[in-house]
PDB file of all heavy atoms in Angstrom:
ATOM      1  N   GLY A   1      -6.016  -3.296   9.950  1.00  0.00           N
ATOM      2  CA  GLY A   1      -5.913  -4.440   9.029  1.00  0.00           C
ATOM      3  C   GLY A   1      -6.114  -5.799   9.771  1.00  0.00           C
ATOM      4  O   GLY A   1      -6.305  -5.795  11.011  1.00  0.00           O
ATOM      5  N   SER A   2      -5.861  -6.840   9.025  1.00  0.00           N
ATOM      6  CA  SER A   2      -6.081  -8.196   9.526  1.00  0.00           C
ATOM      7  C   SER A   2      -4.876  -9.070   9.104  1.00  0.00           C
ATOM      8  O   SER A   2      -4.250  -8.875   8.145  1.00  0.00           O
ATOM      9  CB  SER A   2      -7.374  -8.789   8.970  1.00  0.00           C
ATOM     10  OG  SER A   2      -8.500  -8.097   9.350  1.00  0.00           O
ATOM     11  N   LEU A   3      -4.642 -10.084  10.003  1.00  0.00           N
ATOM     12  CA  LEU A   3      -3.708 -11.126   9.663  1.00  0.00           C
ATOM     13  C   LEU A   3      -4.278 -12.452  10.199  1.00  0.00           C
ATOM     14  O   LEU A   3      -4.989 -12.428  11.214  1.00  0.00           O
ATOM     15  CB  LEU A   3      -2.367 -10.881  10.268  1.00  0.00           C
ATOM     16  CG  LEU A   3      -1.412  -9.836   9.717  1.00  0.00           C
ATOM     17  CD1 LEU A   3      -0.182  -9.655  10.605  1.00  0.00           C
ATOM     18  CD2 LEU A   3      -1.030 -10.276   8.298  1.00  0.00           C
ATOM     19  N   ARG A   4      -3.903 -13.563   9.591  1.00  0.00           N
ATOM     20  CA  ARG A   4      -4.189 -14.862  10.096  1.00  0.00           C
ATOM     21  C   ARG A   4      -2.977 -15.678  10.316  1.00  0.00           C
ATOM     22  O   ARG A   4      -2.144 -15.812   9.342  1.00  0.00           O
ATOM     23  CB  ARG A   4      -5.167 -15.627   9.077  1.00  0.00           C
ATOM     24  CG  ARG A   4      -5.710 -16.899   9.611  1.00  0.00           C
ATOM     25  CD  ARG A   4      -6.373 -17.687   8.436  1.00  0.00           C
ATOM     26  NE  ARG A   4      -7.226 -18.767   8.904  1.00  0.00           N
ATOM     27  CZ  ARG A   4      -7.525 -19.832   8.210  1.00  0.00           C
ATOM     28  NH1 ARG A   4      -6.996 -19.959   6.997  1.00  0.00           N
ATOM     29  NH2 ARG A   4      -8.309 -20.760   8.689  1.00  0.00           N
ATOM     30  N   LEU A   5      -2.788 -16.090  11.524  1.00  0.00           N
ATOM     31  CA  LEU A   5      -1.584 -16.848  11.847  1.00  0.00           C
ATOM     32  C   LEU A   5      -1.907 -18.307  11.975  1.00  0.00           C
ATOM     33  O   LEU A   5      -2.641 -18.718  12.913  1.00  0.00           O
ATOM     34  CB  LEU A   5      -1.003 -16.374  13.172  1.00  0.00           C
ATOM     35  CG  LEU A   5      -0.677 -14.899  13.355  1.00  0.00           C
ATOM     36  CD1 LEU A   5      -0.080 -14.578  14.734  1.00  0.00           C
ATOM     37  CD2 LEU A   5       0.204 -14.364  12.262  1.00  0.00           C
ATOM     38  N   PRO A   6      -1.408 -19.155  11.117  1.00  0.00           N
ATOM     39  CA  PRO A   6      -1.517 -20.619  11.297  1.00  0.00           C
ATOM     40  C   PRO A   6      -0.329 -21.100  12.167  1.00  0.00           C
ATOM     41  O   PRO A   6       0.782 -20.518  12.101  1.00  0.00           O
ATOM     42  CB  PRO A   6      -1.383 -21.186   9.884  1.00  0.00           C
ATOM     43  CG  PRO A   6      -1.206 -20.019   8.965  1.00  0.00           C
ATOM     44  CD  PRO A   6      -0.802 -18.852   9.788  1.00  0.00           C
ATOM     45  N   CYS A   7      -0.590 -22.189  12.864  1.00  0.00           N
ATOM     46  CA  CYS A   7       0.444 -22.838  13.632  1.00  0.00           C
ATOM     47  C   CYS A   7       0.296 -24.365  13.265  1.00  0.00           C
ATOM     48  O   CYS A   7      -0.680 -24.964  13.735  1.00  0.00           O
ATOM     49  CB  CYS A   7       0.352 -22.632  15.101  1.00  0.00           C
ATOM     50  SG  CYS A   7       1.499 -23.637  16.083  1.00  0.00           S
ATOM     51  N   ALA A   8       1.212 -24.854  12.469  1.00  0.00           N
ATOM     52  CA  ALA A   8       1.177 -26.270  12.074  1.00  0.00           C
ATOM     53  C   ALA A   8       1.912 -27.110  13.090  1.00  0.00           C
ATOM     54  O   ALA A   8       3.002 -26.707  13.532  1.00  0.00           O
ATOM     55  CB  ALA A   8       1.749 -26.389  10.752  1.00  0.00           C
ATOM     56  N   THR A   9       1.353 -28.266  13.406  1.00  0.00           N
ATOM     57  CA  THR A   9       1.982 -29.135  14.357  1.00  0.00           C
ATOM     58  C   THR A   9       2.288 -30.529  13.750  1.00  0.00           C
ATOM     59  O   THR A   9       1.612 -30.921  12.779  1.00  0.00           O
ATOM     60  CB  THR A   9       1.102 -29.383  15.616  1.00  0.00           C
ATOM     61  OG1 THR A   9      -0.013 -30.197  15.249  1.00  0.00           O
ATOM     62  CG2 THR A   9       0.592 -28.049  16.156  1.00  0.00           C
ATOM     63  N   SER A  10       3.212 -31.171  14.352  1.00  0.00           N
ATOM     64  CA  SER A  10       3.564 -32.537  13.929  1.00  0.00           C
ATOM     65  C   SER A  10       4.194 -33.263  15.095  1.00  0.00           C
ATOM     66  O   SER A  10       4.687 -32.688  16.042  1.00  0.00           O
ATOM     67  CB  SER A  10       4.476 -32.502  12.729  1.00  0.00           C
ATOM     68  OG  SER A  10       5.737 -31.919  13.077  1.00  0.00           O
ATOM     69  N   GLY A  11       4.150 -34.623  15.012  1.00  0.00           N
ATOM     70  CA  GLY A  11       4.835 -35.378  15.970  1.00  0.00           C
ATOM     71  C   GLY A  11       3.972 -36.278  16.849  1.00  0.00           C
ATOM     72  O   GLY A  11       4.318 -37.350  17.219  1.00  0.00           O
ATOM     73  N   ARG A  12       2.826 -35.737  17.260  1.00  0.00           N
ATOM     74  CA  ARG A  12       1.918 -36.474  18.120  1.00  0.00           C
ATOM     75  C   ARG A  12       0.459 -36.207  17.678  1.00  0.00           C
ATOM     76  O   ARG A  12       0.286 -35.359  16.785  1.00  0.00           O
ATOM     77  CB  ARG A  12       2.080 -36.084  19.602  1.00  0.00           C
ATOM     78  CG  ARG A  12       3.432 -36.425  20.197  1.00  0.00           C
ATOM     79  CD  ARG A  12       3.546 -37.946  20.374  1.00  0.00           C
ATOM     80  NE  ARG A  12       4.896 -38.335  20.837  1.00  0.00           N
ATOM     81  CZ  ARG A  12       5.217 -38.518  22.119  1.00  0.00           C
ATOM     82  NH1 ARG A  12       4.273 -38.277  23.090  1.00  0.00           N
ATOM     83  NH2 ARG A  12       6.446 -38.876  22.458  1.00  0.00           N
ATOM     84  N   THR A  13      -0.480 -36.860  18.266  1.00  0.00           N
ATOM     85  CA  THR A  13      -1.879 -36.706  17.918  1.00  0.00           C
ATOM     86  C   THR A  13      -2.354 -35.339  18.344  1.00  0.00           C
ATOM     87  O   THR A  13      -2.446 -35.004  19.573  1.00  0.00           O
ATOM     88  CB  THR A  13      -2.729 -37.804  18.585  1.00  0.00           C
ATOM     89  OG1 THR A  13      -2.243 -39.074  18.197  1.00  0.00           O
ATOM     90  CG2 THR A  13      -4.144 -37.658  18.137  1.00  0.00           C
ATOM     91  N   PHE A  14      -2.621 -34.497  17.344  1.00  0.00           N
ATOM     92  CA  PHE A  14      -2.920 -33.101  17.577  1.00  0.00           C
ATOM     93  C   PHE A  14      -4.160 -32.924  18.482  1.00  0.00           C
ATOM     94  O   PHE A  14      -4.199 -32.058  19.376  1.00  0.00           O
ATOM     95  CB  PHE A  14      -3.133 -32.346  16.287  1.00  0.00           C
ATOM     96  CG  PHE A  14      -3.540 -30.925  16.360  1.00  0.00           C
ATOM     97  CD1 PHE A  14      -2.657 -30.010  16.909  1.00  0.00           C
ATOM     98  CD2 PHE A  14      -4.750 -30.522  15.876  1.00  0.00           C
ATOM     99  CE1 PHE A  14      -2.963 -28.700  16.982  1.00  0.00           C
ATOM    100  CE2 PHE A  14      -5.114 -29.163  16.002  1.00  0.00           C
ATOM    101  CZ  PHE A  14      -4.208 -28.265  16.507  1.00  0.00           C
ATOM    102  N   SER A  15      -5.137 -33.796  18.338  1.00  0.00           N
ATOM    103  CA  SER A  15      -6.343 -33.662  19.080  1.00  0.00           C
ATOM    104  C   SER A  15      -6.239 -34.006  20.544  1.00  0.00           C
ATOM    105  O   SER A  15      -7.181 -33.806  21.319  1.00  0.00           O
ATOM    106  CB  SER A  15      -7.436 -34.571  18.486  1.00  0.00           C
ATOM    107  OG  SER A  15      -7.035 -35.919  18.501  1.00  0.00           O
ATOM    108  N   ASN A  16      -5.055 -34.469  20.977  1.00  0.00           N
ATOM    109  CA  ASN A  16      -4.770 -34.686  22.375  1.00  0.00           C
ATOM    110  C   ASN A  16      -4.266 -33.426  23.125  1.00  0.00           C
ATOM    111  O   ASN A  16      -4.017 -33.473  24.277  1.00  0.00           O
ATOM    112  CB  ASN A  16      -3.742 -35.794  22.565  1.00  0.00           C
ATOM    113  CG  ASN A  16      -4.296 -37.149  22.208  1.00  0.00           C
ATOM    114  OD1 ASN A  16      -5.520 -37.374  22.174  1.00  0.00           O
ATOM    115  ND2 ASN A  16      -3.414 -38.134  21.984  1.00  0.00           N
ATOM    116  N   TYR A  17      -4.117 -32.331  22.356  1.00  0.00           N
ATOM    117  CA  TYR A  17      -3.477 -31.131  22.906  1.00  0.00           C
ATOM    118  C   TYR A  17      -4.380 -29.944  22.961  1.00  0.00           C
ATOM    119  O   TYR A  17      -5.044 -29.639  21.935  1.00  0.00           O
ATOM    120  CB  TYR A  17      -2.203 -30.782  22.061  1.00  0.00           C
ATOM    121  CG  TYR A  17      -1.087 -31.784  22.270  1.00  0.00           C
ATOM    122  CD1 TYR A  17      -1.131 -33.010  21.575  1.00  0.00           C
ATOM    123  CD2 TYR A  17      -0.072 -31.568  23.197  1.00  0.00           C
ATOM    124  CE1 TYR A  17      -0.087 -33.929  21.761  1.00  0.00           C
ATOM    125  CE2 TYR A  17       0.977 -32.509  23.365  1.00  0.00           C
ATOM    126  CZ  TYR A  17       0.896 -33.715  22.601  1.00  0.00           C
ATOM    127  OH  TYR A  17       1.895 -34.584  22.838  1.00  0.00           O
ATOM    128  N   ALA A  18      -4.457 -29.304  24.088  1.00  0.00           N
ATOM    129  CA  ALA A  18      -4.970 -27.971  24.127  1.00  0.00           C
ATOM    130  C   ALA A  18      -3.938 -26.992  23.613  1.00  0.00           C
ATOM    131  O   ALA A  18      -2.762 -27.232  23.759  1.00  0.00           O
ATOM    132  CB  ALA A  18      -5.396 -27.570  25.588  1.00  0.00           C
ATOM    133  N   MET A  19      -4.434 -25.921  22.924  1.00  0.00           N
ATOM    134  CA  MET A  19      -3.510 -25.023  22.303  1.00  0.00           C
ATOM    135  C   MET A  19      -3.689 -23.584  22.793  1.00  0.00           C
ATOM    136  O   MET A  19      -4.763 -23.213  23.214  1.00  0.00           O
ATOM    137  CB  MET A  19      -3.735 -25.061  20.732  1.00  0.00           C
ATOM    138  CG  MET A  19      -3.605 -26.443  20.118  1.00  0.00           C
ATOM    139  SD  MET A  19      -1.915 -27.092  20.259  1.00  0.00           S
ATOM    140  CE  MET A  19      -0.996 -25.926  19.284  1.00  0.00           C
ATOM    141  N   GLY A  20      -2.646 -22.841  22.652  1.00  0.00           N
ATOM    142  CA  GLY A  20      -2.708 -21.424  23.048  1.00  0.00           C
ATOM    143  C   GLY A  20      -1.853 -20.548  22.171  1.00  0.00           C
ATOM    144  O   GLY A  20      -0.938 -21.017  21.443  1.00  0.00           O
ATOM    145  N   TRP A  21      -2.139 -19.240  22.207  1.00  0.00           N
ATOM    146  CA  TRP A  21      -1.357 -18.244  21.532  1.00  0.00           C
ATOM    147  C   TRP A  21      -0.877 -17.230  22.636  1.00  0.00           C
ATOM    148  O   TRP A  21      -1.697 -16.805  23.467  1.00  0.00           O
ATOM    149  CB  TRP A  21      -2.104 -17.481  20.466  1.00  0.00           C
ATOM    150  CG  TRP A  21      -2.252 -18.275  19.216  1.00  0.00           C
ATOM    151  CD1 TRP A  21      -3.362 -19.038  18.834  1.00  0.00           C
ATOM    152  CD2 TRP A  21      -1.364 -18.344  18.141  1.00  0.00           C
ATOM    153  NE1 TRP A  21      -3.166 -19.585  17.590  1.00  0.00           N
ATOM    154  CE2 TRP A  21      -1.959 -19.179  17.135  1.00  0.00           C
ATOM    155  CE3 TRP A  21      -0.123 -17.783  17.845  1.00  0.00           C
ATOM    156  CZ2 TRP A  21      -1.283 -19.466  15.935  1.00  0.00           C
ATOM    157  CZ3 TRP A  21       0.525 -18.043  16.665  1.00  0.00           C
ATOM    158  CH2 TRP A  21      -0.065 -18.890  15.701  1.00  0.00           C
ATOM    159  N   PHE A  22       0.371 -16.842  22.489  1.00  0.00           N
ATOM    160  CA  PHE A  22       0.938 -15.826  23.378  1.00  0.00           C
ATOM    161  C   PHE A  22       1.683 -14.816  22.589  1.00  0.00           C
ATOM    162  O   PHE A  22       2.037 -15.091  21.406  1.00  0.00           O
ATOM    163  CB  PHE A  22       1.891 -16.493  24.380  1.00  0.00           C
ATOM    164  CG  PHE A  22       1.211 -17.383  25.383  1.00  0.00           C
ATOM    165  CD1 PHE A  22       0.784 -18.657  25.055  1.00  0.00           C
ATOM    166  CD2 PHE A  22       0.989 -16.942  26.679  1.00  0.00           C
ATOM    167  CE1 PHE A  22       0.160 -19.437  25.941  1.00  0.00           C
ATOM    168  CE2 PHE A  22       0.357 -17.749  27.597  1.00  0.00           C
ATOM    169  CZ  PHE A  22      -0.107 -19.061  27.215  1.00  0.00           C
ATOM    170  N   LEU A  23       1.951 -13.638  23.137  1.00  0.00           N
ATOM    171  CA  LEU A  23       2.735 -12.615  22.461  1.00  0.00           C
ATOM    172  C   LEU A  23       3.812 -12.153  23.393  1.00  0.00           C
ATOM    173  O   LEU A  23       3.655 -12.181  24.634  1.00  0.00           O
ATOM    174  CB  LEU A  23       1.905 -11.461  21.919  1.00  0.00           C
ATOM    175  CG  LEU A  23       1.144 -10.581  22.911  1.00  0.00           C
ATOM    176  CD1 LEU A  23       2.068  -9.463  23.547  1.00  0.00           C
ATOM    177  CD2 LEU A  23      -0.047  -9.904  22.276  1.00  0.00           C
ATOM    178  N   GLN A  24       4.866 -11.627  22.770  1.00  0.00           N
ATOM    179  CA  GLN A  24       5.918 -10.994  23.557  1.00  0.00           C
ATOM    180  C   GLN A  24       6.403  -9.754  22.782  1.00  0.00           C
ATOM    181  O   GLN A  24       6.955  -9.892  21.677  1.00  0.00           O
ATOM    182  CB  GLN A  24       7.086 -11.941  23.796  1.00  0.00           C
ATOM    183  CG  GLN A  24       8.103 -11.402  24.772  1.00  0.00           C
ATOM    184  CD  GLN A  24       9.047 -12.483  25.319  1.00  0.00           C
ATOM    185  OE1 GLN A  24       9.163 -13.562  24.737  1.00  0.00           O
ATOM    186  NE2 GLN A  24       9.725 -12.196  26.430  1.00  0.00           N
ATOM    187  N   ALA A  25       6.183  -8.606  23.423  1.00  0.00           N
ATOM    188  CA  ALA A  25       6.641  -7.366  22.835  1.00  0.00           C
ATOM    189  C   ALA A  25       8.095  -7.098  23.354  1.00  0.00           C
ATOM    190  O   ALA A  25       8.492  -7.619  24.415  1.00  0.00           O
ATOM    191  CB  ALA A  25       5.720  -6.255  23.224  1.00  0.00           C
ATOM    192  N   PRO A  26       8.811  -6.270  22.666  1.00  0.00           N
ATOM    193  CA  PRO A  26      10.215  -5.966  23.074  1.00  0.00           C
ATOM    194  C   PRO A  26      10.295  -5.438  24.485  1.00  0.00           C
ATOM    195  O   PRO A  26       9.563  -4.532  24.845  1.00  0.00           O
ATOM    196  CB  PRO A  26      10.689  -4.966  22.036  1.00  0.00           C
ATOM    197  CG  PRO A  26       9.802  -5.191  20.828  1.00  0.00           C
ATOM    198  CD  PRO A  26       8.499  -5.620  21.362  1.00  0.00           C
ATOM    199  N   GLY A  27      11.132  -6.077  25.251  1.00  0.00           N
ATOM    200  CA  GLY A  27      11.366  -5.581  26.619  1.00  0.00           C
ATOM    201  C   GLY A  27      10.268  -6.025  27.612  1.00  0.00           C
ATOM    202  O   GLY A  27      10.245  -5.545  28.778  1.00  0.00           O
ATOM    203  N   LYS A  28       9.318  -6.812  27.144  1.00  0.00           N
ATOM    204  CA  LYS A  28       8.187  -7.200  28.036  1.00  0.00           C
ATOM    205  C   LYS A  28       8.150  -8.687  28.202  1.00  0.00           C
ATOM    206  O   LYS A  28       8.711  -9.465  27.406  1.00  0.00           O
ATOM    207  CB  LYS A  28       6.844  -6.670  27.503  1.00  0.00           C
ATOM    208  CG  LYS A  28       6.809  -5.145  27.443  1.00  0.00           C
ATOM    209  CD  LYS A  28       5.423  -4.691  27.042  1.00  0.00           C
ATOM    210  CE  LYS A  28       5.323  -3.182  27.116  1.00  0.00           C
ATOM    211  NZ  LYS A  28       3.958  -2.699  26.762  1.00  0.00           N
ATOM    212  N   ASP A  29       7.412  -9.144  29.217  1.00  0.00           N
ATOM    213  CA  ASP A  29       7.165 -10.536  29.423  1.00  0.00           C
ATOM    214  C   ASP A  29       6.181 -11.073  28.420  1.00  0.00           C
ATOM    215  O   ASP A  29       5.416 -10.364  27.820  1.00  0.00           O
ATOM    216  CB  ASP A  29       6.584 -10.791  30.840  1.00  0.00           C
ATOM    217  CG  ASP A  29       7.646 -10.464  31.922  1.00  0.00           C
ATOM    218  OD1 ASP A  29       8.840 -10.508  31.587  1.00  0.00           O
ATOM    219  OD2 ASP A  29       7.217 -10.127  33.087  1.00  0.00           O
ATOM    220  N   ARG A  30       6.217 -12.447  28.266  1.00  0.00           N
ATOM    221  CA  ARG A  30       5.317 -13.102  27.384  1.00  0.00           C
ATOM    222  C   ARG A  30       3.888 -12.973  27.992  1.00  0.00           C
ATOM    223  O   ARG A  30       3.693 -13.216  29.127  1.00  0.00           O
ATOM    224  CB  ARG A  30       5.666 -14.574  27.200  1.00  0.00           C
ATOM    225  CG  ARG A  30       5.004 -15.272  26.124  1.00  0.00           C
ATOM    226  CD  ARG A  30       5.662 -16.568  25.758  1.00  0.00           C
ATOM    227  NE  ARG A  30       7.061 -16.397  25.234  1.00  0.00           N
ATOM    228  CZ  ARG A  30       7.789 -17.341  24.774  1.00  0.00           C
ATOM    229  NH1 ARG A  30       7.371 -18.583  24.710  1.00  0.00           N
ATOM    230  NH2 ARG A  30       9.014 -17.056  24.308  1.00  0.00           N
ATOM    231  N   GLU A  31       2.883 -12.693  27.139  1.00  0.00           N
ATOM    232  CA  GLU A  31       1.527 -12.459  27.558  1.00  0.00           C
ATOM    233  C   GLU A  31       0.546 -13.432  26.846  1.00  0.00           C
ATOM    234  O   GLU A  31       0.715 -13.727  25.711  1.00  0.00           O
ATOM    235  CB  GLU A  31       1.095 -11.037  27.260  1.00  0.00           C
ATOM    236  CG  GLU A  31       1.857  -9.930  27.885  1.00  0.00           C
ATOM    237  CD  GLU A  31       1.378  -8.577  27.453  1.00  0.00           C
ATOM    238  OE1 GLU A  31       0.349  -8.531  26.729  1.00  0.00           O
ATOM    239  OE2 GLU A  31       2.018  -7.612  27.812  1.00  0.00           O
ATOM    240  N   PHE A  32      -0.420 -13.848  27.567  1.00  0.00           N
ATOM    241  CA  PHE A  32      -1.526 -14.706  27.023  1.00  0.00           C
ATOM    242  C   PHE A  32      -2.342 -13.903  26.025  1.00  0.00           C
ATOM    243  O   PHE A  32      -2.670 -12.750  26.295  1.00  0.00           O
ATOM    244  CB  PHE A  32      -2.397 -15.195  28.187  1.00  0.00           C
ATOM    245  CG  PHE A  32      -3.616 -15.917  27.718  1.00  0.00           C
ATOM    246  CD1 PHE A  32      -3.590 -17.141  27.196  1.00  0.00           C
ATOM    247  CD2 PHE A  32      -4.865 -15.233  27.810  1.00  0.00           C
ATOM    248  CE1 PHE A  32      -4.698 -17.754  26.766  1.00  0.00           C
ATOM    249  CE2 PHE A  32      -5.976 -15.820  27.433  1.00  0.00           C
ATOM    250  CZ  PHE A  32      -5.958 -17.164  26.878  1.00  0.00           C
ATOM    251  N   VAL A  33      -2.704 -14.583  24.970  1.00  0.00           N
ATOM    252  CA  VAL A  33      -3.607 -13.950  23.968  1.00  0.00           C
ATOM    253  C   VAL A  33      -4.911 -14.735  23.877  1.00  0.00           C
ATOM    254  O   VAL A  33      -5.988 -14.171  24.036  1.00  0.00           O
ATOM    255  CB  VAL A  33      -2.940 -13.932  22.578  1.00  0.00           C
ATOM    256  CG1 VAL A  33      -3.895 -13.395  21.510  1.00  0.00           C
ATOM    257  CG2 VAL A  33      -1.688 -13.113  22.605  1.00  0.00           C
ATOM    258  N   ALA A  34      -4.800 -16.051  23.597  1.00  0.00           N
ATOM    259  CA  ALA A  34      -6.023 -16.910  23.407  1.00  0.00           C
ATOM    260  C   ALA A  34      -5.708 -18.310  23.621  1.00  0.00           C
ATOM    261  O   ALA A  34      -4.515 -18.729  23.468  1.00  0.00           O
ATOM    262  CB  ALA A  34      -6.605 -16.636  22.008  1.00  0.00           C
ATOM    263  N   ALA A  35      -6.767 -19.075  23.945  1.00  0.00           N
ATOM    264  CA  ALA A  35      -6.552 -20.535  24.183  1.00  0.00           C
ATOM    265  C   ALA A  35      -7.802 -21.264  23.688  1.00  0.00           C
ATOM    266  O   ALA A  35      -8.875 -20.711  23.621  1.00  0.00           O
ATOM    267  CB  ALA A  35      -6.338 -20.839  25.656  1.00  0.00           C
ATOM    268  N   ILE A  36      -7.574 -22.545  23.293  1.00  0.00           N
ATOM    269  CA  ILE A  36      -8.649 -23.357  22.824  1.00  0.00           C
ATOM    270  C   ILE A  36      -8.476 -24.780  23.318  1.00  0.00           C
ATOM    271  O   ILE A  36      -7.324 -25.286  23.493  1.00  0.00           O
ATOM    272  CB  ILE A  36      -8.691 -23.309  21.245  1.00  0.00           C
ATOM    273  CG1 ILE A  36      -9.933 -23.995  20.729  1.00  0.00           C
ATOM    274  CG2 ILE A  36      -7.416 -23.965  20.642  1.00  0.00           C
ATOM    275  CD1 ILE A  36     -10.161 -23.640  19.238  1.00  0.00           C
ATOM    276  N   SER A  37      -9.572 -25.406  23.640  1.00  0.00           N
ATOM    277  CA  SER A  37      -9.526 -26.765  24.178  1.00  0.00           C
ATOM    278  C   SER A  37      -9.226 -27.814  23.073  1.00  0.00           C
ATOM    279  O   SER A  37      -9.246 -27.491  21.899  1.00  0.00           O
ATOM    280  CB  SER A  37     -10.895 -27.047  24.855  1.00  0.00           C
ATOM    281  OG  SER A  37     -11.939 -27.006  23.835  1.00  0.00           O
ATOM    282  N   ARG A  38      -9.008 -29.038  23.495  1.00  0.00           N
ATOM    283  CA  ARG A  38      -8.791 -30.133  22.560  1.00  0.00           C
ATOM    284  C   ARG A  38      -9.879 -30.242  21.515  1.00  0.00           C
ATOM    285  O   ARG A  38      -9.625 -30.417  20.353  1.00  0.00           O
ATOM    286  CB  ARG A  38      -8.654 -31.430  23.348  1.00  0.00           C
ATOM    287  CG  ARG A  38      -7.379 -31.753  24.009  1.00  0.00           C
ATOM    288  CD  ARG A  38      -7.484 -33.064  24.757  1.00  0.00           C
ATOM    289  NE  ARG A  38      -8.008 -34.136  23.904  1.00  0.00           N
ATOM    290  CZ  ARG A  38      -8.349 -35.332  24.395  1.00  0.00           C
ATOM    291  NH1 ARG A  38      -8.048 -35.652  25.681  1.00  0.00           N
ATOM    292  NH2 ARG A  38      -8.778 -36.256  23.571  1.00  0.00           N
ATOM    293  N   SER A  39     -11.084 -30.160  22.050  1.00  0.00           N
ATOM    294  CA  SER A  39     -12.243 -30.374  21.180  1.00  0.00           C
ATOM    295  C   SER A  39     -12.560 -29.088  20.324  1.00  0.00           C
ATOM    296  O   SER A  39     -13.257 -29.222  19.321  1.00  0.00           O
ATOM    297  CB  SER A  39     -13.508 -30.650  22.051  1.00  0.00           C
ATOM    298  OG  SER A  39     -13.772 -29.501  22.857  1.00  0.00           O
ATOM    299  N   GLY A  40     -11.993 -27.991  20.661  1.00  0.00           N
ATOM    300  CA  GLY A  40     -12.297 -26.779  19.968  1.00  0.00           C
ATOM    301  C   GLY A  40     -13.542 -26.036  20.398  1.00  0.00           C
ATOM    302  O   GLY A  40     -13.870 -24.967  19.911  1.00  0.00           O
ATOM    303  N   THR A  41     -14.229 -26.629  21.354  1.00  0.00           N
ATOM    304  CA  THR A  41     -15.539 -26.058  21.748  1.00  0.00           C
ATOM    305  C   THR A  41     -15.394 -25.024  22.806  1.00  0.00           C
ATOM    306  O   THR A  41     -16.319 -24.208  23.082  1.00  0.00           O
ATOM    307  CB  THR A  41     -16.536 -27.153  22.220  1.00  0.00           C
ATOM    308  OG1 THR A  41     -15.859 -27.905  23.248  1.00  0.00           O
ATOM    309  CG2 THR A  41     -16.869 -28.066  21.096  1.00  0.00           C
ATOM    310  N   SER A  42     -14.257 -24.980  23.518  1.00  0.00           N
ATOM    311  CA  SER A  42     -14.022 -23.990  24.585  1.00  0.00           C
ATOM    312  C   SER A  42     -12.913 -23.125  24.183  1.00  0.00           C
ATOM    313  O   SER A  42     -11.838 -23.596  23.804  1.00  0.00           O
ATOM    314  CB  SER A  42     -13.716 -24.636  25.905  1.00  0.00           C
ATOM    315  OG  SER A  42     -14.774 -25.502  26.309  1.00  0.00           O
ATOM    316  N   THR A  43     -13.085 -21.767  24.259  1.00  0.00           N
ATOM    317  CA  THR A  43     -12.090 -20.805  23.959  1.00  0.00           C
ATOM    318  C   THR A  43     -12.012 -19.772  25.045  1.00  0.00           C
ATOM    319  O   THR A  43     -12.995 -19.520  25.842  1.00  0.00           O
ATOM    320  CB  THR A  43     -12.318 -20.121  22.629  1.00  0.00           C
ATOM    321  OG1 THR A  43     -13.630 -19.475  22.670  1.00  0.00           O
ATOM    322  CG2 THR A  43     -12.269 -21.133  21.497  1.00  0.00           C
ATOM    323  N   HIS A  44     -10.881 -19.018  25.151  1.00  0.00           N
ATOM    324  CA  HIS A  44     -10.717 -17.998  26.160  1.00  0.00           C
ATOM    325  C   HIS A  44      -9.761 -16.940  25.563  1.00  0.00           C
ATOM    326  O   HIS A  44      -8.814 -17.297  24.809  1.00  0.00           O
ATOM    327  CB  HIS A  44     -10.060 -18.617  27.411  1.00  0.00           C
ATOM    328  CG  HIS A  44      -9.869 -17.659  28.546  1.00  0.00           C
ATOM    329  ND1 HIS A  44     -10.873 -16.946  29.047  1.00  0.00           N
ATOM    330  CD2 HIS A  44      -8.744 -17.331  29.202  1.00  0.00           C
ATOM    331  CE1 HIS A  44     -10.380 -16.170  30.008  1.00  0.00           C
ATOM    332  NE2 HIS A  44      -9.063 -16.369  30.093  1.00  0.00           N
TER     333      HIS A  44
END
């Protein structure tokens, strides 16, 4: 199946921030999932 996770931000100018998603499974360290640049043109 599929899910879409939004992350809403507030407080400062959003476009000044690079963003990332991480996950943490039970008993494990936090892991990198995906990242995006300020402009949105670069992803990893």
Side-chain angles (χ1 to χ4, degrees):
S2 298
L3 284 174
R4 188 191 196 204
L5 306 183
C7 172
T9 73
S10 62
R12 292 292 176 91
T13 304
F14 180 64
S15 59
N16 289 342
Y17 291 82
M19 302 296 295
W21 284 96
F22 292 77
L23 65 82
Q24 188 164 20
K28 296 188 176 181
D29 292 335
R30 194 166 295 187
E31 299 177 6
F32 169 75
V33 176
I36 190 166
S37 61
R38 280 178 50 185
S39 64
T41 55
S42 300
T43 58
H44 181 58

